[in-house]
Amino acid sequence: MKLLQNLPNVKFTRLHAHIVEEDGAFTVRVRMLNHVDQEQSAWGEEIAATFDMASSMIGSLADEFSIPEQCISIKIVMRRFKDGTLH
């Protein structure tokens, strides 16, 4: 994700992500923070063509900043094609 390029010496300990299916693509919104130093935080949004790409974006961020799985939260909002409702 482009939002975190060129950040000097930051350490994030938490990653919160939302993946929302919209108009045939997936919007990935992330918020990253350091729970020890509240001034270290970042957020951003990217569009992914597939759900796999969206998941990969989140995984890449977690790997890049060494955020363990238990410190990652992901909310997924998908459209149910059967009845046209969001879940």
Side-chain angles (χ1 to χ4, degrees):
M1 294 183 89
K2 295 177 217 163
L3 78 143
L4 297 173
Q5 292 177 348
N6 302 321
L7 285 179
N9 301 322
V10 294
K11 171 123 177 85
F12 297 115
T13 59
R14 304 287 188 268
L15 186 148
H16 303 284
H18 285 84
I19 299 174
V20 180
E21 183 180 16
E22 298 176 315
D23 300 325
F26 296 87
T27 302
V28 181
R29 295 179 184 102
V30 297
R31 183 172 48 100
M32 299 179 62
L33 57 101
N34 181 334
H35 74 283
V36 176
D37 181 356
Q38 297 294 322
E39 291 184 16
Q40 290 189 9
S41 65
W43 62 271
E45 179 177 295
E46 290 279 338
I47 303 296
T50 66
F51 184 79
D52 288 337
M53 288 176 66
S55 296
S56 178
M57 288 177 183
I58 295 167
S60 293
L61 287 173
D63 288 344
E64 181 177 347
F65 291 96
S66 302
I67 300 172
E69 187 176 320
Q70 66 268 24
C71 296
I72 300 169
S73 67
I74 302 173
K75 179 178 180 180
I76 302 170
V77 180
M78 303 281 289
R79 183 171 297 279
R80 277 188 49 182
F81 292 106
K82 244 177 157 179
D83 58 8
T85 61
L86 289 176
H87 294 274

XYZ file of all heavy atoms in Angstrom:
692
model
N 0.839 -1.186 0.000
C 0.000 0.000 0.000
C 0.881 1.245 0.000
O 1.871 1.303 0.711
C -0.912 0.003 1.214
C -1.933 -1.111 1.199
S -3.061 -1.038 2.589
C -4.304 0.010 1.886
N 0.484 2.209 -0.752
C 1.275 3.421 -0.913
C 1.273 4.322 0.319
O 2.160 5.132 0.496
C 0.744 4.224 -2.098
C 0.915 3.527 -3.410
C 0.299 4.362 -4.497
C -0.345 3.434 -5.497
N -1.267 4.088 -6.359
N 0.288 4.178 1.189
C 0.162 5.106 2.305
C 1.350 5.097 3.238
O 1.595 6.077 3.922
C -1.106 4.810 3.119
C -1.045 3.623 4.081
C -1.828 4.000 5.323
C -1.633 2.399 3.453
N 2.114 4.018 3.290
C 3.187 3.919 4.271
C 4.578 4.051 3.686
O 5.552 3.778 4.363
C 3.049 2.597 5.024
C 1.755 2.498 5.814
C 1.590 1.119 6.397
C 1.713 3.538 6.908
N 4.686 4.484 2.455
C 5.998 4.691 1.871
C 6.629 5.934 2.482
O 5.961 6.913 2.792
C 5.887 4.854 0.362
C 5.466 3.569 -0.326
C 5.283 3.749 -1.814
O 5.244 4.862 -2.323
N 5.177 2.642 -2.510
N 7.920 5.853 2.695
C 8.713 6.987 3.185
C 8.378 7.415 4.607
O 8.499 8.586 4.943
C 8.583 8.199 2.249
C 9.009 7.856 0.845
O 9.968 7.133 0.647
N 8.270 8.354 -0.129
N 7.949 6.505 5.447
C 7.750 6.833 6.858
C 9.043 6.509 7.603
O 9.475 5.376 7.639
C 6.593 6.033 7.459
C 5.201 6.465 7.079
C 4.175 5.559 7.747
C 4.935 7.889 7.486
N 9.668 7.523 8.215
C 10.952 7.287 8.871
C 10.785 6.686 10.267
O 10.066 7.203 11.104
C 11.542 8.697 8.970
C 10.351 9.591 9.038
C 9.267 8.907 8.240
N 11.423 5.560 10.505
C 11.547 4.971 11.840
C 10.254 4.903 12.648
O 10.210 5.341 13.792
C 12.601 5.733 12.642
C 13.947 5.693 11.955
O 14.325 4.685 11.374
N 14.658 6.793 12.000
N 9.214 4.378 12.080
C 7.981 4.201 12.836
C 7.824 2.739 13.203
O 8.318 1.854 12.509
C 6.731 4.694 12.072
C 6.769 6.183 11.883
C 6.577 3.971 10.761
N 7.157 2.500 14.300
C 6.861 1.141 14.733
C 5.379 1.068 15.020
O 4.852 1.841 15.812
C 7.651 0.811 15.996
C 7.250 -0.481 16.642
C 8.412 -1.410 16.771
C 8.022 -2.688 17.479
N 7.453 -3.676 16.587
N 4.703 0.174 14.336
C 3.276 -0.026 14.574
C 3.084 -1.355 15.288
O 3.760 -2.333 14.992
C 2.493 -0.015 13.257
C 2.577 1.293 12.530
C 3.191 1.373 11.297
C 2.044 2.438 13.080
C 3.264 2.577 10.615
C 2.115 3.650 12.415
C 2.723 3.718 11.180
N 2.155 -1.372 16.223
C 1.891 -2.586 16.988
C 0.485 -3.120 16.760
O 0.170 -4.225 17.186
C 2.076 -2.330 18.491
O 1.180 -1.286 18.900
C 3.508 -1.916 18.803
N -0.367 -2.343 16.130
C -1.755 -2.746 15.874
C -2.133 -2.391 14.441
O -1.716 -1.361 13.914
C -2.733 -2.032 16.810
C -2.464 -2.212 18.288
C -2.838 -3.615 18.741
N -2.776 -3.755 20.179
C -1.730 -4.167 20.858
N -0.609 -4.442 20.238
N -1.769 -4.295 22.170
N -2.946 -3.253 13.834
C -3.453 -3.004 12.489
C -4.945 -3.309 12.499
O -5.360 -4.394 12.888
C -2.740 -3.915 11.476
C -3.061 -3.672 10.008
C -1.844 -3.992 9.158
C -4.225 -4.472 9.531
N -5.737 -2.326 12.116
C -7.187 -2.483 12.005
C -7.542 -2.275 10.536
O -7.173 -1.258 9.947
C -7.922 -1.452 12.866
C -7.529 -1.515 14.306
N -7.979 -2.496 15.153
C -6.712 -0.727 15.041
C -7.468 -2.311 16.357
N -6.691 -1.243 16.312
N -8.242 -3.235 9.952
C -8.553 -3.163 8.522
C -10.029 -3.424 8.269
O -10.669 -4.186 8.994
C -7.715 -4.175 7.759
N -10.544 -2.770 7.243
C -11.899 -3.021 6.732
C -11.759 -3.340 5.255
O -11.089 -2.608 4.515
C -12.787 -1.772 6.858
C -13.243 -1.488 8.226
N -12.483 -0.794 9.135
C -14.394 -1.807 8.852
C -13.164 -0.693 10.260
N -14.314 -1.299 10.126
N -12.399 -4.420 4.840
C -12.487 -4.754 3.424
C -13.964 -4.659 3.072
O -14.787 -5.357 3.656
C -11.969 -6.172 3.126
C -10.499 -6.300 3.518
C -12.159 -6.501 1.642
C -9.952 -7.716 3.378
N -14.287 -3.767 2.134
C -15.680 -3.540 1.762
C -15.835 -3.773 0.266
O -15.132 -3.157 -0.537
C -16.123 -2.101 2.116
C -17.578 -1.881 1.734
C -15.910 -1.821 3.596
N -16.741 -4.664 -0.081
C -17.032 -4.917 -1.488
C -17.921 -3.788 -2.002
O -19.000 -3.542 -1.469
C -17.745 -6.257 -1.644
C -18.002 -6.619 -3.086
C -18.721 -7.949 -3.226
O -19.286 -8.448 -2.236
O -18.709 -8.482 -4.335
N -17.442 -3.085 -3.031
C -18.181 -1.958 -3.588
C -18.002 -1.928 -5.104
O -16.869 -1.912 -5.583
C -17.661 -0.627 -3.020
C -17.807 -0.493 -1.533
C -17.185 0.790 -1.010
O -16.056 1.126 -1.410
O -17.846 1.441 -0.197
N -19.082 -1.913 -5.816
C -19.052 -1.723 -7.267
C -18.101 -2.681 -7.985
O -17.343 -2.280 -8.865
C -18.685 -0.279 -7.616
C -19.674 0.723 -7.046
O -20.875 0.393 -7.000
O -19.243 1.814 -6.635
N -18.105 -3.938 -7.592
C -17.295 -4.933 -8.272
C -15.839 -4.964 -7.876
O -15.049 -5.718 -8.440
N -15.430 -4.155 -6.914
C -14.049 -4.154 -6.432
C -14.087 -4.173 -4.905
O -15.155 -4.225 -4.297
C -13.310 -2.919 -6.938
N -12.928 -4.127 -4.289
C -12.837 -4.172 -2.833
C -12.048 -2.967 -2.336
O -10.916 -2.744 -2.759
C -12.159 -5.466 -2.383
C -12.956 -6.676 -2.752
C -12.799 -7.275 -3.995
C -13.883 -7.199 -1.878
C -13.545 -8.377 -4.349
C -14.642 -8.310 -2.225
C -14.471 -8.904 -3.465
N -12.661 -2.197 -1.462
C -11.986 -1.062 -0.843
C -11.346 -1.553 0.447
O -12.010 -2.164 1.282
C -12.978 0.071 -0.531
O -13.611 0.466 -1.755
C -12.275 1.264 0.082
N -10.057 -1.300 0.582
C -9.308 -1.711 1.760
C -8.939 -0.449 2.541
O -8.207 0.398 2.038
C -8.025 -2.483 1.374
C -7.269 -2.923 2.616
C -8.355 -3.658 0.478
N -9.472 -0.338 3.741
C -9.158 0.794 4.612
C -8.383 0.270 5.809
O -8.811 -0.690 6.447
C -10.436 1.467 5.090
C -11.224 2.111 3.987
C -12.506 2.764 4.502
N -13.274 3.284 3.391
C -14.340 2.675 2.876
N -14.797 1.553 3.396
N -14.970 3.196 1.840
N -7.245 0.866 6.087
C -6.442 0.414 7.216
C -6.105 1.568 8.140
O -6.002 2.720 7.714
C -5.135 -0.284 6.778
C -5.413 -1.530 5.991
C -4.240 0.648 6.012
N -5.960 1.220 9.393
C -5.474 2.143 10.416
C -4.423 1.388 11.201
O -4.658 0.272 11.654
C -6.618 2.586 11.331
C -6.215 3.602 12.364
C -7.424 4.140 13.119
N -8.303 3.098 13.595
C -8.331 2.636 14.849
N -7.528 3.147 15.758
N -9.164 1.681 15.197
N -3.256 1.969 11.303
C -2.170 1.337 12.041
C -1.737 2.275 13.153
O -1.731 3.491 12.982
C -1.005 1.031 11.104
C -1.396 0.072 10.006
S -0.081 -0.308 8.860
C 1.093 -1.076 9.937
N -1.398 1.697 14.295
C -0.989 2.529 15.417
C 0.001 1.797 16.301
O 0.147 0.583 16.234
C -2.205 2.976 16.228
C -3.118 1.890 16.783
C -2.836 1.665 18.243
C -4.551 2.305 16.579
N 0.666 2.587 17.097
C 1.581 2.078 18.106
C 0.907 2.337 19.445
O 0.745 3.489 19.843
C 2.918 2.807 18.009
C 3.928 2.307 19.020
O 3.568 1.798 20.067
N 5.191 2.465 18.689
N 0.504 1.287 20.144
C -0.247 1.476 21.388
C 0.619 2.055 22.503
O 0.102 2.565 23.481
C -0.919 0.171 21.831
C 0.016 -0.846 22.398
N 0.838 -1.618 21.606
C 0.255 -1.209 23.667
C 1.545 -2.417 22.371
N 1.212 -2.199 23.621
N 1.943 2.037 22.360
C 2.843 2.616 23.358
C 3.064 4.101 23.082
O 3.102 4.914 23.997
C 4.185 1.853 23.386
C 5.163 2.491 24.354
C 3.954 0.394 23.734
N 3.205 4.462 21.823
C 3.431 5.851 21.423
C 2.274 6.275 20.519
O 2.294 6.043 19.308
C 4.760 5.982 20.689
C 5.095 7.403 20.267
O 4.259 8.312 20.462
O 6.194 7.606 19.723
N 1.276 6.911 21.096
C 0.047 7.260 20.378
C 0.282 8.209 19.203
O -0.569 8.323 18.330
C -0.970 7.880 21.344
C -1.421 6.935 22.433
C -2.217 5.761 21.908
O -3.010 5.903 20.995
N -1.988 4.586 22.467
N 1.418 8.891 19.165
C 1.694 9.793 18.049
C 2.081 9.044 16.780
O 2.047 9.615 15.697
C 2.795 10.777 18.443
C 2.335 11.770 19.497
C 3.390 12.811 19.814
O 4.349 12.962 19.016
O 3.252 13.454 20.853
N 2.456 7.798 16.922
C 2.804 6.998 15.745
C 1.557 6.279 15.254
O 1.154 5.255 15.792
C 3.903 5.995 16.089
C 5.233 6.647 16.340
C 6.358 5.633 16.453
O 6.189 4.448 16.182
N 7.517 6.101 16.868
N 0.957 6.844 14.237
C -0.222 6.226 13.632
C -0.287 6.607 12.162
O 0.304 7.605 11.744
C -1.505 6.644 14.350
O -1.725 8.018 14.194
N -0.986 5.790 11.403
C -1.166 6.060 9.972
C -2.464 5.399 9.536
O -2.929 4.441 10.156
C 0.003 5.499 9.165
N -3.045 5.938 8.487
C -4.254 5.336 7.932
C -4.256 5.566 6.434
O -3.547 6.439 5.919
C -5.516 5.908 8.585
C -5.699 7.378 8.368
C -5.215 8.383 9.154
C -6.372 8.001 7.285
N -5.554 9.598 8.617
C -6.281 9.398 7.471
C -7.060 7.531 6.182
C -6.837 10.309 6.590
C -7.614 8.445 5.305
C -7.504 9.817 5.518
N -5.034 4.772 5.747
C -5.105 4.936 4.306
C -6.144 4.022 3.685
O -6.769 3.209 4.371
N -6.298 4.175 2.397
C -7.311 3.439 1.654
C -6.765 3.107 0.273
O -6.117 3.942 -0.357
C -8.552 4.310 1.539
C -9.698 3.709 0.787
C -10.913 4.612 0.793
O -11.481 4.838 1.875
O -11.280 5.089 -0.295
N -7.015 1.885 -0.172
C -6.631 1.445 -1.508
C -7.770 0.618 -2.089
O -8.586 0.062 -1.356
C -5.378 0.565 -1.455
C -4.109 1.286 -1.098
C -3.470 2.010 -2.262
O -3.754 1.646 -3.426
O -2.695 2.923 -2.017
N -7.800 0.502 -3.393
C -8.783 -0.326 -4.090
C -8.071 -1.578 -4.597
O -6.981 -1.494 -5.169
C -9.406 0.430 -5.285
C -10.045 1.742 -4.826
C -10.406 -0.463 -6.024
C -11.209 1.576 -3.889
N -8.714 -2.727 -4.402
C -8.193 -3.996 -4.902
C -9.223 -4.594 -5.856
O -10.423 -4.513 -5.606
C -7.927 -4.954 -3.745
N -8.750 -5.229 -6.903
C -9.654 -5.825 -7.888
C -10.302 -7.105 -7.367
O -11.423 -7.434 -7.739
C -8.902 -6.118 -9.178
N -9.599 -7.826 -6.479
C -10.129 -9.093 -5.964
C -9.985 -9.136 -4.452
O -9.190 -8.398 -3.863
C -9.371 -10.300 -6.559
O -8.022 -10.275 -6.082
C -9.401 -10.294 -8.082
N -10.724 -10.053 -3.843
C -10.620 -10.238 -2.399
C -9.225 -10.743 -2.026
O -8.666 -10.336 -1.011
C -11.691 -11.226 -1.917
C -11.691 -11.382 -0.429
C -12.288 -10.432 0.379
C -11.072 -12.475 0.159
C -12.270 -10.561 1.761
C -11.055 -12.611 1.542
C -11.655 -11.650 2.342
N -8.654 -11.602 -2.861
C -7.304 -12.105 -2.595
C -6.283 -10.974 -2.570
O -5.376 -10.961 -1.723
C -6.901 -13.145 -3.637
C -7.646 -14.452 -3.468
O -8.136 -14.737 -2.355
O -7.741 -15.207 -4.461
N -6.410 -10.024 -3.489
C -5.505 -8.873 -3.497
C -5.687 -8.034 -2.238
O -4.712 -7.568 -1.658
C -5.743 -8.019 -4.744
C -5.251 -8.639 -6.024
S -5.652 -7.640 -7.484
C -4.663 -6.187 -7.188
N -6.930 -7.851 -1.817
C -7.208 -7.078 -0.599
C -6.572 -7.752 0.607
O -5.924 -7.095 1.441
C -8.715 -6.937 -0.410
N -6.725 -9.058 0.716
C -6.125 -9.811 1.821
C -4.608 -9.715 1.787
O -3.957 -9.574 2.823
C -6.529 -11.280 1.744
O -7.893 -11.426 1.903
N -4.056 -9.782 0.593
C -2.614 -9.700 0.428
C -2.065 -8.347 0.883
O -0.989 -8.267 1.474
C -2.250 -9.954 -1.026
O -0.877 -9.847 -1.232
N -2.810 -7.284 0.611
C -2.390 -5.948 1.056
C -2.248 -5.909 2.575
O -1.259 -5.394 3.113
C -3.405 -4.896 0.627
C -3.422 -4.585 -0.819
S -4.741 -3.382 -1.123
C -4.653 -3.228 -2.883
N -3.226 -6.465 3.256
C -3.202 -6.464 4.724
C -2.059 -7.332 5.234
O -1.321 -6.935 6.145
C -4.567 -6.932 5.274
C -5.638 -5.917 4.889
C -4.507 -7.117 6.790
C -7.052 -6.392 5.101
N -1.887 -8.497 4.626
C -0.787 -9.380 5.018
C 0.574 -8.737 4.808
O 1.475 -8.884 5.640
N 0.729 -8.008 3.716
C 1.997 -7.338 3.431
C 2.320 -6.280 4.475
O 3.470 -6.149 4.912
C 1.961 -6.685 2.050
O 1.888 -7.663 1.053
N 1.311 -5.523 4.872
C 1.529 -4.517 5.917
C 1.916 -5.172 7.238
O 2.834 -4.711 7.929
C 0.274 -3.666 6.120
C -0.030 -2.656 5.038
C -1.388 -2.009 5.295
C 1.059 -1.600 4.966
N 1.226 -6.233 7.588
C 1.538 -6.931 8.835
C 2.971 -7.466 8.809
O 3.706 -7.342 9.795
C 0.545 -8.060 9.063
N 3.377 -8.024 7.675
C 4.745 -8.534 7.544
C 5.773 -7.411 7.606
O 6.781 -7.520 8.294
C 4.917 -9.295 6.228
C 4.211 -10.635 6.224
O 3.844 -11.134 7.318
O 4.016 -11.187 5.124
N 5.499 -6.340 6.881
C 6.450 -5.225 6.818
C 6.735 -4.627 8.187
O 7.860 -4.252 8.492
C 5.910 -4.139 5.882
C 6.836 -2.952 5.724
C 6.320 -1.919 4.749
O 5.374 -2.209 3.994
O 6.867 -0.807 4.750
N 5.711 -4.550 9.036
C 5.879 -3.927 10.348
C 5.903 -4.952 11.485
O 5.806 -4.581 12.650
C 4.779 -2.887 10.570
C 4.953 -1.699 9.673
C 4.262 -1.615 8.479
C 5.847 -0.696 9.991
C 4.435 -0.537 7.622
C 6.034 0.390 9.149
C 5.327 0.465 7.962
N 6.036 -6.222 11.143
C 6.142 -7.306 12.128
C 5.018 -7.269 13.156
O 5.245 -7.396 14.355
C 7.502 -7.245 12.832
O 8.548 -7.328 11.898
N 3.796 -7.108 12.680
C 2.632 -7.077 13.560
C 2.108 -8.508 13.686
O 1.741 -9.123 12.690
C 1.542 -6.138 13.016
C 2.089 -4.720 12.898
C 0.307 -6.173 13.913
C 1.170 -3.746 12.203
N 2.061 -9.038 14.904
C 1.591 -10.423 15.073
C 0.092 -10.560 14.811
O -0.676 -9.598 14.935
C 1.926 -10.744 16.536
C 2.124 -9.441 17.202
C 2.495 -8.435 16.150
N -0.313 -11.759 14.453
C -1.695 -12.042 14.080
C -2.702 -11.606 15.147
O -3.769 -11.093 14.830
C -1.833 -13.538 13.804
C -3.166 -13.948 13.240
C -3.199 -15.422 12.893
O -2.200 -15.942 12.365
O -4.241 -16.046 13.157
N -2.380 -11.805 16.410
C -3.320 -11.455 17.480
C -3.504 -9.942 17.637
O -4.394 -9.501 18.352
C -2.927 -12.103 18.813
C -1.633 -11.597 19.388
C -0.416 -12.413 18.975
O -0.418 -13.077 17.949
N 0.635 -12.362 19.771
N -2.705 -9.146 16.952
C -2.814 -7.680 17.022
C -3.437 -7.095 15.757
O -3.351 -5.896 15.513
C -1.441 -7.071 17.270
S -0.738 -7.548 18.854
N -4.052 -7.945 14.957
C -4.689 -7.522 13.710
C -6.192 -7.779 13.815
O -6.612 -8.853 14.211
C -4.128 -8.314 12.508
C -2.624 -8.078 12.377
C -4.855 -7.926 11.220
C -1.953 -9.005 11.392
N -6.977 -6.755 13.468
C -8.427 -6.954 13.383
C -8.870 -6.616 11.968
O -8.394 -5.653 11.373
C -9.167 -6.090 14.407
O -9.025 -4.728 14.084
N -9.766 -7.448 11.443
C -10.248 -7.266 10.078
C -11.764 -7.373 10.080
O -12.322 -8.332 10.609
C -9.670 -8.320 9.113
C -8.147 -8.270 9.114
C -10.221 -8.116 7.708
C -7.493 -9.383 8.328
N -12.400 -6.384 9.498
C -13.854 -6.418 9.308
C -14.086 -6.548 7.807
O -13.515 -5.806 7.013
C -14.500 -5.151 9.838
C -16.000 -5.141 9.648
C -16.623 -3.887 10.220
C -18.122 -3.925 9.996
N -18.775 -2.746 10.527
N -14.951 -7.491 7.427
C -15.238 -7.748 6.015
C -16.718 -7.508 5.764
O -17.563 -8.061 6.469
C -14.870 -9.190 5.636
C -13.388 -9.443 5.917
C -15.212 -9.466 4.176
C -12.983 -10.885 5.807
N -17.023 -6.671 4.782
C -18.406 -6.403 4.394
C -18.561 -6.842 2.944
O -17.940 -6.274 2.049
C -18.758 -4.899 4.542
C -20.191 -4.647 4.127
C -18.515 -4.438 5.971
N -19.379 -7.876 2.741
C -19.572 -8.447 1.406
C -21.036 -8.327 1.002
O -21.924 -8.342 1.835
C -19.188 -9.925 1.403
C -17.779 -10.214 1.857
S -16.554 -9.910 0.605
C -16.884 -11.228 -0.521
N -21.256 -8.269 -0.291
C -22.610 -8.235 -0.832
C -23.081 -9.669 -1.056
O -22.373 -10.472 -1.628
C -22.626 -7.475 -2.152
C -24.019 -7.347 -2.745
C -24.040 -6.419 -3.928
N -23.679 -5.071 -3.598
C -24.487 -4.168 -3.071
N -25.719 -4.491 -2.777
N -24.075 -2.951 -2.824
N -24.278 -9.968 -0.572
C -24.888 -11.276 -0.847
C -25.668 -11.149 -2.145
O -26.685 -10.469 -2.224
C -25.846 -11.687 0.278
C -25.124 -12.310 1.419
C -26.045 -12.896 2.428
N -27.055 -13.753 1.823
C -27.996 -14.339 2.513
N -28.077 -14.183 3.798
N -28.883 -15.098 1.913
N -25.183 -11.803 -3.166
C -25.795 -11.671 -4.480
C -27.200 -12.273 -4.530
O -28.013 -11.869 -5.332
C -24.911 -12.319 -5.538
C -23.622 -11.572 -5.732
C -22.442 -12.089 -5.242
C -23.595 -10.359 -6.376
C -21.251 -11.392 -5.397
C -22.427 -9.657 -6.539
C -21.240 -10.185 -6.059
N -27.486 -13.224 -3.671
C -28.796 -13.872 -3.666
C -29.933 -12.881 -3.465
O -30.906 -12.883 -4.178
C -28.834 -14.896 -2.524
C -28.983 -16.308 -2.950
C -28.917 -17.152 -1.706
C -29.576 -18.465 -1.933
N -29.503 -19.318 -0.768
N -29.780 -12.023 -2.463
C -30.891 -11.134 -2.150
C -30.505 -9.647 -2.214
O -31.310 -8.795 -1.870
C -31.474 -11.463 -0.774
C -30.453 -11.370 0.335
O -29.330 -10.918 0.096
O -30.784 -11.765 1.452
N -29.280 -9.343 -2.625
C -28.888 -7.949 -2.810
C -28.627 -7.182 -1.529
O -28.601 -5.968 -1.541
N -28.400 -7.879 -0.410
C -28.140 -7.186 0.853
C -26.677 -7.263 1.211
O -25.944 -8.134 0.750
C -28.984 -7.774 2.003
O -28.619 -9.153 2.149
C -30.455 -7.652 1.722
N -26.239 -6.366 2.064
C -24.857 -6.359 2.543
C -24.749 -7.117 3.856
O -25.651 -7.048 4.688
C -24.366 -4.926 2.755
C -24.138 -4.120 1.507
C -23.759 -2.685 1.866
C -23.033 -4.731 0.661
N -23.618 -7.815 4.041
C -23.350 -8.544 5.279
C -21.925 -8.333 5.686
O -21.058 -8.191 4.922
C -23.611 -10.037 5.106
C -25.039 -10.341 4.857
N -25.940 -10.504 5.863
C -25.741 -10.474 3.712
C -27.125 -10.764 5.353
N -27.013 -10.738 4.043
